[in-house]
Amino acid sequence: MAGIYIHIPFCKKLCSYCDFYHIISTGDHNTYIKVLLKEVEIRREYIGSDDVSTIYIGGGTPSVLSVKELETIMESLYRNFNIDKNCEITMELNPDDVNPEYLSGLRSININRISLGIQSWKDEDLKLLNRRHDSAGAERAIKEIFKAGYVNVSIDLIYGIPGMSTSDWADNLDIAFSYDITHLSAYHLTFEEGTRLSKMKKKGLIEEIDEEESTTQFNLLVEKAINAGFIQYEISNFAKPGYFSVHNTNYWKQVVYLGLGPSAHSFNGYSRQWNIRDLRSYIKSVNQGNEFFEREELDNKTRFNEYIMTSLRTMWGIDLEYVEKTFEKEGYDYILNMAGKFIDYGLMRRGKNTLILTNQGKMISDNIISEFILPGDN
């Protein structure tokens, strides 16, 4: 099985925290869609004859596209790839774009999973994040989505926002779980270089919350999610049984995927490619038949490091049988030797053939993962 990711770079408003490639939409998407369809034709052999089990339409803000524009893209995918009849097809929506007619249109083109970018139910947070919806709009949108018959519904929330108290975060989670959502992605705010929030921080206009508060908010997230019947299957992702994001899970399990559109990444097990991160250059290169992506061949060390970085973030952890088969005895012994101290400290536990971070270990997962990573050649 394989996955397809489609990047829609257009936004009506630029969020202050986002460093994904995006530009302000002019409302004219025709040129981009024509070029995107050309890329589909060019890249159709990338995943070979594998059936496509997941399609994810992200951005940017995919919901700035009309249903007709989305239908054109979907028809192209069905013409050029073997799309599994049970394919999980996810689309990211901004609350302001949600209405009954639009949702009905999405259902008609087989969009069967919704990811709603709420981020916070607090208007002061949304203003700081420069979101174009308010809390009332978020409430209206999620009710419309369920009314339209969607069951597989995920929402995004952000914690660690400057000025957000533990009580504020608790309220956010309580409101989220009061709806019949099946999936929650909750991320700690990061100040990405070049974003508006990062510039505000450098000027002293806002401050990061302290580490103790971050830990408290994360622990509260885990506690409330579990109490609501959700499983933490990845550090930032929680779902009811049967509703894990298949697309994201395949990323973490290193399943082959194709990325389409500017800045999109692709992976075939042995190499990684990433498209030009500039819409004009991307359009020009595709139209002129020039190479529009960069490529990195993955040596054994890189593949090992990528496996560690993805697997340790999940509930499945490191599969020791897979490690021994793929990276042989040297990789297997290295991992067991490294894991010893973390097991002793209660940060990791060993199953029959697995190594999994404990809740305490998840709190410092980046530090633990960095210690497993094999250093580059000097």
Side-chain angles (χ1 to χ4, degrees), residues 4-8 32-48 52 55 69-83 258-262 266 275 282 286 292-293:
I4 295 176
Y5 171 79
I6 304 164
H7 191 70
I8 308 300
Y32 173 64
I33 291 173
K34 287 178 182 177
V35 173
L36 183 68
L37 300 189
K38 280 189 179 181
E39 187 188 358
V40 170
E41 297 279 349
I42 293 168
R43 306 291 295 282
R44 61 188 296 178
E45 301 300 326
Y46 185 82
I47 57 177
V52 173
I55 297 170
E69 289 169 330
L70 290 163
E71 183 178 27
T72 300
I73 295 170
M74 293 300 298
E75 286 175 348
S76 175
L77 296 182
Y78 274 90
R79 278 197 309 272
N80 287 280
F81 299 99
N82 300 320
I83 309 297
L258 169 65
L260 302 166
S266 303
N275 287 358
Y282 165 80
V286 174
F292 51 89
F293 55 83

Side-chain angles (χ1 to χ4, degrees), residues 1-6 43 46-48 50-56 81 246-260 263-274 298 306 310:
M1 294 296 226
I4 295 176
Y5 171 79
I6 304 164
R43 306 291 295 282
Y46 185 82
I47 57 177
D50 289 358
D51 283 353
V52 173
S53 62
T54 67
I55 297 170
Y56 194 104
F81 299 99
V246 180
H247 187 82
N248 287 341
T249 299
N250 285 349
Y251 282 158
W252 303 321
K253 292 189 173 184
Q254 302 196 319
V255 173
V256 171
Y257 60 88
L258 169 65
L260 302 166
S263 80
H265 285 232
S266 303
F267 170 76
N268 65 2
Y270 300 95
S271 69
R272 189 172 299 285
Q273 299 178 6
W274 53 98
L298 304 177
E306 291 198 356
T310 53

Side-chain angles (χ1 to χ4, degrees), residues 39 100 131 149 202-203 221 267 321 365:
E39 187 188 358
R131 299 290 294 175
K202 287 179 180 178
K203 292 178 180 178
L221 163 65
F267 170 76
E321 286 187 351
S365 59

Side-chain angles (χ1 to χ4, degrees), residues 13 43-44 67 72 113 170 178 201-202 204 211 221 229 242 273 293 319 338-339 354-355 367:
K13 188 176 183 180
R43 306 291 295 282
R44 61 188 296 178
V67 172
T72 300
R113 183 174 184 271
S178 72
K201 179 188 167 189
K202 287 179 180 178
E211 188 173 336
L221 163 65
Q273 299 178 6
F293 55 83
D319 182 336
M338 289 297 298
T354 58
L355 290 168
N367 293 334

Side-chain angles (χ1 to χ4, degrees), residues 301-360:
K301 182 186 293 184
T302 303
R303 291 172 61 210
F304 177 89
N305 286 342
E306 291 198 356
Y307 177 71
I308 294 298
M309 285 188 285
T310 53
S311 63
L312 273 182
R313 291 185 57 88
T314 71
M315 63 181 286
W316 304 282
I318 294 173
D319 182 336
L320 293 172
E321 286 187 351
Y322 173 83
V323 169
E324 188 169 24
K325 178 181 177 181
T326 308
F327 305 109
E328 301 181 342
K329 189 174 186 301
E330 182 180 1
Y332 179 84
D333 289 343
Y334 171 80
I335 284 179
L336 285 186
N337 288 336
M338 289 297 298
K341 63 180 178 181
F342 297 115
I343 294 172
D344 291 343
Y345 294 151
L347 302 173
M348 182 179 282
R349 68 178 183 272
R350 180 173 179 180
K352 183 179 179 181
N353 286 302
T354 58
L355 290 168
I356 302 169
L357 293 183
T358 63
N359 285 339
Q360 187 180 357

Side-chain angles (χ1 to χ4, degrees), residues 56 90-93 95 113-121 138-139 141-143 145-146 151-158 169 171-187 221 230 236-239:
Y56 194 104
T90 303
M91 180 167 159
E92 295 177 354
L93 295 182
R113 183 174 184 271
I114 297 296
S115 178
L116 186 65
I118 289 176
Q119 316 312 349
S120 176
W121 299 97
E139 182 179 4
I142 198 165
K143 288 179 178 178
I145 288 168
F146 287 120
V151 175
N152 200 349
V153 179
S154 177
I155 67 171
D156 287 356
L157 292 178
I158 296 176
W169 179 230
D171 288 344
N172 264 306
L173 292 169
D174 288 342
I175 295 170
F177 291 128
S178 72
Y179 294 101
D180 197 21
I181 61 172
T182 51
H183 190 281
L184 170 67
S185 295
Y187 304 99
L221 163 65
F230 284 64
S236 300
N237 287 273
F238 305 77

